[in-house]
Amino acid sequence: LTTTSEHGYIILETNCRIYAYTNSPLQIAILNLFVHLVSRFSNLVTGAITRNGVRQALMHGITADQIITFLTANAHPQMQSRTPVLPVTVTDQIRLWEQERNRLHPTQAHFYREFGQRQYFERVYRYALDIGVVLWANAEKQQLVVTRQGHAKIAELFKSQRPTNNATNPQPPAQS
């Protein structure tokens, strides 16, 4: 006889419901990392892949691709015979939950505005691009957001180019 671990033991429905034909504590523990387990019988565990379950796994360093690979590798033989093995709606949803978590990264930055003269904005903007510190810019409104390290370098630029006559080179732009 062959065991379910050799042939796969997971059935996944398009509504994210999951049925795992196993009594292995290890396999159940792995599923519990990203599945909200609902019931457990002697050789069957049922549950659902939920947003919170996937987010919890992501916080522990498990990626969406790792979850999908695990589900594919352990899919029941009936699912293995289909192409694709897992429902596309479920794999897409898992990846969307990962993207949702990764879309924002807080970064300390400085916002420059009110450059006064267009040529002054363009000079600072080009310099910031050259040193790779631009996080966001709007040339039309003469607004610029640079990294914290970039702010220090731009401040050095202002100091090194500080003229004796302020008419040819205005003061640093206002920042917020």
Side-chain angles (χ1 to χ4, degrees):
L1 277 179
T2 57
T3 62
T4 56
S5 62
E6 292 176 26
H7 291 296
Y9 60 95
I10 296 172
I11 294 179
L12 180 61
E13 295 181 338
T14 57
N15 61 2
C16 293
R17 300 259 317 145
I18 195 165
Y19 303 92
Y21 292 96
T22 184
N23 55 7
S24 165
L26 176 61
Q27 292 171 339
I28 294 169
I30 292 171
L31 285 171
N32 197 36
L33 292 173
F34 59 91
V35 174
H36 172 71
L37 298 179
V38 176
S39 59
R40 185 172 175 178
F41 302 101
S42 62
N43 68 341
L44 174 68
V45 177
T46 65
I49 298 176
T50 63
R51 178 177 181 258
N52 286 337
V54 171
R55 290 185 76 200
Q56 202 62 25
L58 294 170
M59 284 190 278
H60 287 97
I62 300 170
T63 66
D65 285 336
Q66 288 172 323
I67 292 171
I68 292 165
T69 300
F70 173 80
L71 292 171
T72 303
N74 293 290
H76 191 276
Q78 288 179 341
M79 291 192 66
Q80 295 275 354
S81 64
R82 298 184 341 205
T83 303
V85 174
L86 301 177
V88 175
T89 55
V90 177
T91 57
D92 286 351
Q93 186 60 62
I94 292 170
R95 286 189 178 105
L96 284 171
W97 286 329
E98 181 180 50
Q99 287 175 357
E100 177 182 277
R101 182 177 180 270
N102 295 335
R103 68 179 176 202
L104 294 177
H105 297 283
T107 303
Q108 290 190 348
H110 287 267
F111 175 64
Y112 292 101
R113 58 186 170 80
E114 299 175 12
F115 282 84
Q117 298 177 8
R118 179 113 188 125
Q119 64 193 26
Y120 191 54
F121 166 79
E122 289 173 3
R123 183 172 21 157
V124 172
Y125 179 57
R126 274 194 306 272
Y127 176 69
L129 279 175
D130 288 345
I131 61 174
V133 298
V134 175
L135 295 174
W136 177 85
N138 184 332
E140 184 179 309
K141 294 182 179 180
Q142 296 184 20
Q143 297 174 336
L144 179 64
V145 177
V146 298
T147 63
R148 186 177 194 179
Q149 297 82 4
H151 170 66
K153 291 179 181 180
I154 290 173
E156 290 175 22
L157 174 71
F158 291 135
K159 288 178 187 174
S160 68
Q161 293 187 356
R162 180 160 283 158
T164 54
N165 178 0
N166 283 343
T168 60
N169 200 356
Q171 293 299 310
Q175 37 174 324
S176 299

